[in-house]
Amino acid sequence: MTSILRETVLDLLLRIDSDSGFSHLLIDHEIKSHRIPERDAGLLTEMVYGTLQRKLTLDYYLEPYLSTGKKIKPWVRMLLRMSVYQMAYLDKVPDHAIIHEAVEIAKQRGHRGIAALVNGVLRNIQRKGLTETSNIHEMSKRISIETSHPEWLVNRWIDMYGIETTKQMCEANLTRKGTSVRVQPMKISRDGAISRLQEQGFDVQESAFSAQGIVITKGNILKTDLFKEGYVTVQDQSSMLVGEILDLKSNMTVLDACSAPGGKVTHIAEKMNDTGKIYAYDLHVKKAKSIMDKAKNLDLTIIDAKQNDARKLQDVHKEGSFDRILIDAPCSGLGVIRGKPEIKYNKQATDIKKLAQIQFDILHEVAPLLKQNGRLMYTTCTVDKEENNRVVTRFLASHPEYTVDQAFFEELPDFLADSEGISDEGLQLFPYTFQTDGFFLTRFIKK
């Protein structure tokens, strides 16, 4: 790895840390705008994600080697973190080269004193080794340090799910999962797509979550004609379950109240064979436009995406207008930490409380728009009960015309019907169980 690439990694880490930018978007923009070669792009991605994912663990390793009370500039601490990450978790570059490059960056960005500090800390770690975590006796703190999740979040999940589930969730968030895609069935069959991908050297398998789903364990789908020409679109398997379980039929009128980035709404259009009508909304004009772009790429014509607040849709649509409604509510995102590790450091308990209120408000305002005997699906990409089970309980308590549709549980695939996350309120998918995002979904019926 060149020193220029290490500088790029450091800049990206600092921007994600200080600006709360989404790691996947910044990395993607950097690689495309500077046309970074594929081999270097892989290492850059690994270093940025790895350092972010292990930030608290790396700080634990650094702590004994930093002078107590001495203030260190953010860029110096980040340089130390990314250097220790390489020394502890990667074997592609020898320690002496990692230390040399870190010292050179410290000289260029700072001065000889900072370079000496960086050199001293890293050489001490090289000589004495990493501090053992087995010395931490309190279980929540140990999980927090070993898996780099804030201790308040670990304690929150332990209260909700117990130690073992919490530990498995945190460990899963440090791993990678395969990319999953959904075929556009009006353009290509799943078998046809699998054959074409295998011919190009991809390792793929069928998804058990959707007859349209394919899981890719080797190969970059974004560079294929299949993706560019709209024969497949990227979507997590858990997200595909929404279209499969919404009980859709041709010519229905459907509302997707919080639609961006558009994966679920385009799947709904495919399940309806591009017949009927789907109204899709998002708070932001740009995102609504991106939904239309996605629909166009997939050759889907029944989606009408516009900007609006889901809590104000009674101003646009009459009561009882829709056969089906999807509320994929704005949430904390604590189920997608594996792909966006910065989320676990940026969210607070107060954020979750505010989001739970927004989720309830959306449900409350949208509920009148469903026809009698219609179905409303509520989903989030979080594992937090305050945003999932408790929002469902509160909604049902204030809307006696609604109940959880028991047919929802009967229609789940067999492997999910008795899975760990089943409750009276719906289905919670944990990130470790089926190698999907952490995802919650349930279906209401209007009496």
Side-chain angles (χ1 to χ4, degrees):
M1 180 183 239
T2 66
S3 58
I4 293 175
L5 207 59
R6 279 196 173 85
E7 290 263 14
T8 303
V9 170
L10 180 58
D11 286 336
L12 280 170
L13 285 167
L14 289 169
R15 286 170 63 192
I16 293 165
D17 203 45
S18 62
D19 301 336
S20 299
F22 281 123
S23 52
H24 66 296
L25 297 178
L26 290 174
I27 290 170
D28 186 54
H29 179 265
E30 189 71 26
I31 290 171
K32 285 179 180 173
S33 62
H34 291 90
R35 297 182 179 180
I36 295 175
E38 190 166 340
R39 182 173 175 276
D40 286 345
L43 193 51
L44 177 146
T45 304
E46 165 70 43
M47 283 184 61
V48 174
Y49 271 130
T51 305
L52 269 178
Q53 283 176 329
R54 304 270 184 182
K55 187 167 82 169
L56 301 185
T57 314
L58 297 169
D59 282 347
Y60 177 78
Y61 291 151
L62 283 165
E63 189 179 348
Y65 301 103
L66 295 173
S67 300
T68 308
K70 190 171 182 179
K71 195 169 182 180
I72 298 175
K73 291 182 178 179
W75 73 265
V76 179
R77 180 173 286 276
M78 196 61 83
L79 176 62
L80 289 168
R81 283 176 184 148
M82 62 178 262
S83 301
V84 175
Y85 174 75
Q86 294 171 81
M87 293 165 72
Y89 298 102
L90 300 182
D91 54 10
K92 293 176 181 172
V93 186
D95 285 355
H96 67 82
I98 295 166
I99 296 170
H100 173 74
E101 291 291 347
V103 170
E104 289 303 308
I105 291 172
K107 282 180 188 172
Q108 291 165 15
R109 292 202 177 208
H111 49 70
R112 285 185 174 277
I114 292 176
L117 169 73
V118 168
N119 185 56
V121 169
L122 295 180
R123 290 206 179 281
N124 265 329
I125 290 176
Q126 183 188 31
R127 188 168 57 251
K128 297 178 182 178
L130 302 171
T131 307
E132 292 288 337
T133 55
S134 56
N135 299 326
I136 306 172
H137 299 296
E138 189 180 347
M139 185 53 74
S140 60
K141 184 170 184 180
R142 188 162 165 182
I143 293 173
S144 167
I145 295 299
E146 289 181 342
T147 67
S148 194
H149 285 67
E151 198 169 354
W152 73 267
L153 186 57
V154 172
N155 279 318
R156 185 180 178 91
W157 286 351
I158 288 175
D159 288 344
M160 289 178 178
Y161 299 112
I163 288 175
E164 192 53 38
T165 293
T166 299
K167 193 175 176 201
Q168 290 186 79
M169 275 202 290
C170 292
E171 288 173 347
N173 287 338
L174 297 174
T175 64
R176 288 183 178 177
K177 63 182 174 69
T179 302
S180 54
V181 297
R182 189 190 80 229
V183 299
Q184 211 291 32
M186 287 174 277
K187 297 175 77 170
I188 193 170
S189 68
R190 178 160 74 173
D191 288 345
I194 286 175
S195 295
R196 285 180 60 175
L197 289 172
Q198 287 175 332
E199 286 169 6
Q200 296 174 48
F202 282 64
D203 286 342
V204 299
Q205 62 188 50
E206 295 178 350
S207 167
F209 283 76
S210 167
Q212 293 175 238
I214 300 171
V215 179
I216 300 168
T217 52
K218 179 191 166 189
N220 185 351
I221 190 70
L222 302 183
K223 294 191 173 181
T224 63
D225 290 340
L226 278 178
F227 175 76
K228 293 174 183 172
E229 296 171 8
Y231 287 80
V232 301
T233 187
V234 175
Q235 186 178 25
D236 190 73
Q237 295 184 88
S238 59
S239 177
M240 292 180 209
L241 197 57
V242 174
E244 298 296 335
I245 301 295
L246 193 48
D247 189 23
L248 296 157
K249 297 177 178 63
S250 297
N251 292 307
M252 281 184 162
T253 303
V254 178
L255 170 65
D256 185 348
C258 313
S259 191
K264 297 179 189 68
V265 72
T266 49
H267 191 195
I268 289 170
E270 291 165 3
K271 297 295 288 185
M272 291 164 59
N273 298 310
D274 203 33
T275 63
K277 187 73 178 176
I278 305 174
Y279 294 89
Y281 293 96
D282 190 86
L283 264 180
H284 307 284
V285 174
K286 190 175 178 182
K287 289 185 178 179
K289 183 179 179 303
S290 74
I291 295 165
M292 292 306 294
D293 291 342
K294 193 178 190 78
K296 187 177 179 183
N297 182 245
L298 293 168
D299 293 326
L300 298 167
T301 63
I302 63 169
I303 298 170
D304 181 10
K306 291 179 178 170
Q307 181 278 331
N308 212 327
D309 186 330
R311 292 165 291 189
K312 297 179 179 175
L313 294 180
Q314 288 193 56
D315 297 339
V316 184
H317 299 285
K318 294 179 182 175
E319 285 190 17
S321 294
F322 296 100
D323 300 293
R324 299 287 182 268
I325 293 178
L326 168 62
I327 297 177
D328 184 35
C331 70
S332 62
L334 294 172
V336 295
I337 287 174
R338 178 153 43 187
K340 301 172 185 172
E342 62 279 3
I343 287 176
K344 60 186 174 184
Y345 309 119
N346 296 338
K347 286 287 182 290
Q348 302 295 327
T350 50
D351 299 324
I352 295 171
K353 193 173 187 64
K354 288 176 187 172
L355 285 162
Q357 182 61 48
I358 292 170
Q359 291 152 359
F360 172 79
D361 290 344
I362 292 173
L363 274 167
H364 175 71
E365 293 297 332
V366 169
L369 302 180
L370 188 67
K371 292 179 181 176
Q372 191 177 13
N373 292 320
R375 270 71 168 176
L376 187 158
M377 181 156 274
Y378 174 71
T379 67
T380 73
C381 57
T382 184
V383 293
D384 197 283
K385 284 189 174 182
E386 186 165 356
E387 299 176 82
N388 299 333
N389 307 64
R390 290 168 199 163
V391 167
V392 169
T393 303
R394 186 181 170 197
F395 172 69
L396 293 175
S398 60
H399 288 270
E401 76 276 21
Y402 274 90
T403 185
V404 173
D405 186 358
Q406 295 306 304
F408 163 80
F409 299 102
E410 296 165 9
E411 292 167 18
L412 287 171
D414 290 344
F415 70 97
L416 290 173
D418 58 354
S419 65
E420 182 183 353
I422 289 286
S423 68
D424 291 343
E425 293 81 33
L427 169 64
Q428 178 69 65
L429 291 167
F430 297 103
Y432 61 87
T433 316
F434 302 106
Q435 297 307 306
T436 66
D437 289 339
F439 196 82
F440 176 83
L441 67 165
T442 193
R443 195 174 79 195
F444 303 111
I445 184 169
K446 192 174 185 180
K447 292 181 272 188

